[in-house]
Amino acid sequence: MRIVVLAKPVPDAGQERLRNDFRMDREATTEVINGNDEYALEAALKLVEASPDGGEVVLLAMAPDHAQETLRKGLALGAASAVLVTDPALEGSCALTTAHVLAAALRELSFDLVIAGVDTSDGGGGVVAAGVAALLGLPYLSYAARIEPSDGRVRVRRITPNGYEVLEAPMPALISATQALGAPRYPTLKGIMGARRKEIVIRTLADLDLAGARARGVEVGGAAATARVTGSRPRAPRGTPKVVQGSPAEAAQEVVTFLAERRLI
Amino acid sequence: MAGAIWVLGESKGSDLARVSAEVATLGSALGAAAGLDVVGVVAGASPDGLAAEFARYLPLVHSLAVPEAAETAFASAVGPSLAALVEREQPAYLLVGATSDGRDIAGILSVLLGWGVIANASAILWQDGRPEVEVSILGGKLLTTSVFTGQHGIITVRPTSVTAEPLASRGSVVPVTVSPEIALPAVTVVSRVAEESEAVPIDEARVIVCAGRGVGGPEGMHLVQALANELGGTVGASRAAVDSGWIPYSQQIGQTGKTVKPRLYVGLGVSGAMQHMVGMRTSETIVAVNRDAEAPIAEVADLVVIGDLFAFVQALISALQARST
Ligand SMILES: Cc1cc2nc3c(=O)[nH]c(=O)nc-3n(C[C@H](O)[C@H](O)[C@H](O)COP(=O)(O)OP(=O)(O)OC[C@H]3O[C@@H](n4cnc5c(N)ncnc54)[C@H](O)[C@@H]3O)c2cc1C
Ligand SMILES: Nc1ncnc2c1ncn2[C@@H]1O[C@H](COP(=O)(O)O)[C@@H](O)[C@H]1O
């Protein structure tokens, strides 16, 4: 079982900052692998471990060069190698062109499954994975809470707004992962040491075959982004909260009055 | 109808999803500001019923039958037909709820049409001849505005961004068919399971009582539920409560759960970790109950009750009951 995990390096929660041109500042903050992509990685590692004929997990990211450091964290958890697509021209890419770049990079890899996260914490919209699947003609099984491969097919329990559905498709396929798949493992010292020797393959735009994108009239890179942030302002602060102490009955009475004033009860 | 604004309607179970009605209302206001027609589209195996419901909010709704959607995964089944319809009718913009199906469709249509996506809109204005989309990012710390660089685009809209308003008179439903040239690989639906719940889904709820680790266990959860019942709300949870197995993941609020924007959020024994707050800080009114006066959730709260949540919640339930009798 060979699995490629789409793992986006993102600023750690709470540390995100926008630059003056309204792009995410990816230099000044420590980065981590996007939370949902860590669930994807954990699910992938478990599937490979359970697979009778072994296999391996490969990470794929499109990110600035310094993201190698973040990818090492995924290698420390057990991924065998990583591919980093990095090029100054990609800075400021939109979701559509990101999907084209990831699809082009995946065309050069062999896999039974691609697992992405359902969305990213740095402002992503949960659309890239569906786009990649459509571009590559891969069956797309999203919002996975459970992944069960057998005999060249894969079953996914997909979370829906009012329950779940069980989906099935032949492999290779692309799956998007939720937290319901299970918490990621912690890196071991051995894993961290071993990660230093694992390979991170660097690919630039010139290395990728983007004929597929061009055939659709899509240019990739920040200059060709289909959407752009034009402004940002901090949300008006709420002000200092009202603090209620005292006996439970007194506190309850105060809260009832507060809620009634705001017409919430 | 070239240049129109289209709104995609989706179902929840057999009903129209509430977010679709909201997006229709948002789209109508945008259309009025832009001087553009606003048209609904419902795609599915037998979309007419849903389209009729959607026509309560829009003057015209296309009902696009895609028989394959009966037993194959929704977005892959309807994506190519929707793309073909868009190419034929040439609307300028497409609006859809930022739900699981809505995001799947947005991602697929984006690559099939070559249109950009602006995700998670909380408001859309018409400025300089194009939509200017307001998005609350980084868990509501910042409000950004975004535009498309081209003439087209797809906007996903967060649930509860506006209040849905039906039209004075019902619109009309027009059945349409297309024969798409491409198909996406079929994904078979082996079974669909609806988990019966009276409660409003967490991302649509107007009142949420959120259980944190401080609730302590199943017994505490009963108390949380009792307060939610009293307030007419839905029970939500922090990841700590979900990881402890007290409540399903579907109710989780935060970075890897749902983003919510209720009128009232009551956090019980929730500390307010950044990954939780990104999912709830844009709630209209936030009340936090915590025995730790230093808990970070106070940073975003309008009212903080410092004390033991068990004693307080029991007293609050009694006070609410006394009030209503
Ligand atoms: C990648 C990633 C994604 C994550 N995604 C999410 C997410 O989507 N949603 C989420 O919620 N978290 C998420 N987390 C976890 C998050 O970091 C916190 O661990 C979690 O939110 C803590 O939950 P809590 O506030 O319930 O628990 P705690 O932080 O343990 O807080 C419990 C609080 O209850 C109070 N308390 C205890 N007993 C009582 C009592 N009797 N009366 C009153 N107060 C009491 C305590 O003072 C404390 O403040 C994520 C973490 C990671 C790494
Ligand atoms: N630059 C990227 N590098 C690697 N994977 C990505 C990238 N952008 C998005 N993805 C994958 O697509 C998923 C959805 O991203 P998004 O649509 O941006 O929210 C993520 O969880 C990742 O698995």
Side-chain angles (χ1 to χ4, degrees):
Chain A
M1 172 87 63
R2 274 182 67 84
I3 304 180
V4 179
V5 171
L6 304 185
K8 186 180 186 190
V10 296
D12 205 354
Q15 296 195 25
E16 303 101 333
R17 277 215 301 266
L18 290 195
R19 307 189 317 199
N20 290 337
D21 61 358
F22 311 120
R23 286 182 183 160
M24 189 64 67
D25 190 338
R26 301 192 183 278
E27 302 290 334
T29 48
T30 23
E31 294 210 308
V32 294
I33 292 177
N34 175 50
N36 282 317
D37 304 353
E38 277 203 293
Y39 304 127
L41 173 57
E42 178 63 31
L45 292 169
K46 284 209 188 92
L47 288 170
V48 165
E49 285 156 7
S51 165
D53 34 52
E56 62 179 32
V57 177
V58 175
L59 304 172
L60 170 60
M62 177 185 111
D65 188 60
H66 63 78
Q68 289 188 55
E69 215 181 302
T70 312
L71 290 174
R72 295 263 172 228
K73 297 178 189 169
L75 297 174
L77 292 176
S81 64
V83 177
L84 174 63
V85 182
T86 186
D87 196 306
L90 287 170
E91 192 189 307
S93 290
C94 63
L96 171 62
T97 62
T98 300
H100 275 285
V101 169
L102 293 173
L106 281 166
R107 282 199 184 94
E108 299 179 350
L109 301 173
S110 67
F111 50 81
D112 302 292
L113 287 176
V114 179
I115 312 186
V118 283
D119 62 16
T120 41
S121 59
D122 61 348
V127 295
V128 166
V132 172
L135 287 173
L136 293 176
L138 293 171
Y140 173 58
L141 303 91
S142 58
Y143 293 88
R146 200 180 285 174
I147 304 173
E148 292 164 336
S150 83
D151 289 339
R153 298 181 70 81
V154 64
R155 264 188 189 213
V156 159
R157 178 189 275 225
R158 176 182 190 260
I159 300 171
T160 61
N162 65 334
Y164 65 88
E165 54 194 12
V166 178
L167 305 178
E168 195 187 289
M171 296 197 280
L174 189 148
I175 296 171
S176 75
T178 67
Q179 180 196 308
L181 286 164
R185 63 196 63 190
Y186 291 99
T188 60
L189 191 58
K190 189 159 159 259
I192 294 168
M193 302 301 281
R196 294 193 195 151
R197 290 187 303 277
K198 289 180 178 171
E199 191 184 14
I200 299 181
V201 180
I202 305 286
R203 313 290 277 149
T204 65
L205 263 186
D207 300 327
L208 295 184
D209 179 2
L210 290 157
R214 288 199 196 97
R216 292 172 183 260
V218 172
E219 290 298 323
V220 303
T226 54
R228 185 158 63 76
V229 180
T230 52
S232 110
R233 63 196 147 95
R235 183 176 286 278
R238 277 176 201 266
T240 13
K242 182 178 165 70
V243 176
V244 173
Q245 273 167 312
S247 78
E250 285 160 8
Q253 211 47 60
E254 276 194 66
V255 171
V256 166
T257 309
F258 173 86
L259 295 177
E261 272 167 12
R262 295 201 171 202
R263 301 186 174 285
L264 291 164
I265 49 174
Chain B
M1 218 50 81
I5 295 168
W6 276 16
V7 182
L8 300 184
E10 56 170 302
S11 67
K12 185 179 152 273
S14 52
D15 300 324
L16 183 73
R18 177 145 104 190
V19 61
S20 296
E22 294 168 355
V23 182
T25 299
L26 187 74
S28 300
L30 183 65
L36 295 176
D37 286 321
V38 183
V39 176
V41 185
V42 173
S46 38
D48 289 352
L50 212 59
E53 230 187 297
F54 207 26
R56 288 177 56 216
Y57 301 91
L58 292 165
L60 175 65
V61 177
H62 291 314
S63 175
L64 175 63
V66 183
E68 308 87 272
E71 60 282 329
T72 58
F74 182 71
S76 310
V78 304
S81 295
L82 279 171
L85 189 64
V86 166
E87 272 164 356
R88 191 172 83 196
E89 304 288 329
Q90 302 280 315
Y93 301 103
L94 228 60
L95 272 47
V96 62
T99 58
S100 37
D101 279 344
R103 292 162 143 204
D104 281 353
I105 291 207
I108 288 171
L109 288 182
S110 169
V111 306
L112 295 184
L113 297 167
W115 289 16
V117 181
I118 297 177
N120 301 327
S122 54
I124 311 175
L125 302 174
W126 190 260
Q127 286 292 345
D128 306 326
R130 61 184 177 184
E132 187 178 82
V133 185
E134 186 181 278
V135 181
S136 147
I137 64 161
L138 310 183
K141 271 199 291 194
L142 291 178
L143 279 173
T144 56
T145 46
S146 294
V147 298
F148 294 111
T149 55
Q151 302 304 309
H152 296 288
I154 302 168
I155 302 172
T156 70
V157 180
R158 284 247 194 246
T160 69
S161 293
V162 297
T163 304
E165 284 162 26
L167 301 177
S169 63
R170 192 181 275 272
S172 49
V173 173
V174 179
V176 290
T177 52
V178 291
S179 358
E181 276 159 29
I182 56 144
L184 293 173
V187 173
T188 311
V189 178
V190 180
S191 61
R192 291 194 173 95
V193 179
E195 278 161 351
E196 278 316 315
S197 164
E198 299 290 307
V200 179
I202 190 89
D203 49 357
E204 293 180 7
R206 300 287 150 145
V207 174
I208 294 173
V209 181
C210 181
R213 196 196 308 272
V215 156
E219 222 171 287
M221 291 304 294
H222 285 129
L223 200 57
V224 176
Q225 183 67 59
L227 180 58
N229 294 349
E230 213 53 56
L231 292 169
T234 299
V235 176
S238 72
R239 175 165 148 189
V242 172
D243 283 349
S244 304
W246 305 336
I247 181 165
Y249 165 64
S250 58
Q251 305 309 106
Q252 181 178 312
I253 295 166
Q255 184 189 310
T256 50
K258 303 260 168 57
T259 300
V260 300
K261 197 185 165 208
R263 291 190 61 211
L264 173 63
Y265 165 102
V266 181
L268 301 176
V270 176
S271 64
M274 191 53 68
Q275 292 94 345
H276 183 75
M277 295 212 284
V278 297
M280 50 60 78
R281 76 190 292 156
T282 60
S283 304
E284 277 172 41
T285 293
I286 297 175
V287 174
V289 183
N290 204 304
R291 62 182 176 204
D292 175 8
E294 305 292 313
I297 197 163
E299 284 162 30
V300 301
D302 300 288
L303 185 146
V304 185
V305 179
I306 299 164
D308 177 58
L309 74 91
F310 292 89
F312 168 76
V313 171
Q314 272 153 0
L316 182 59
I317 291 171
S318 307
L320 288 167
Q321 283 169 345
R323 194 172 171 274
S324 59
T325 51

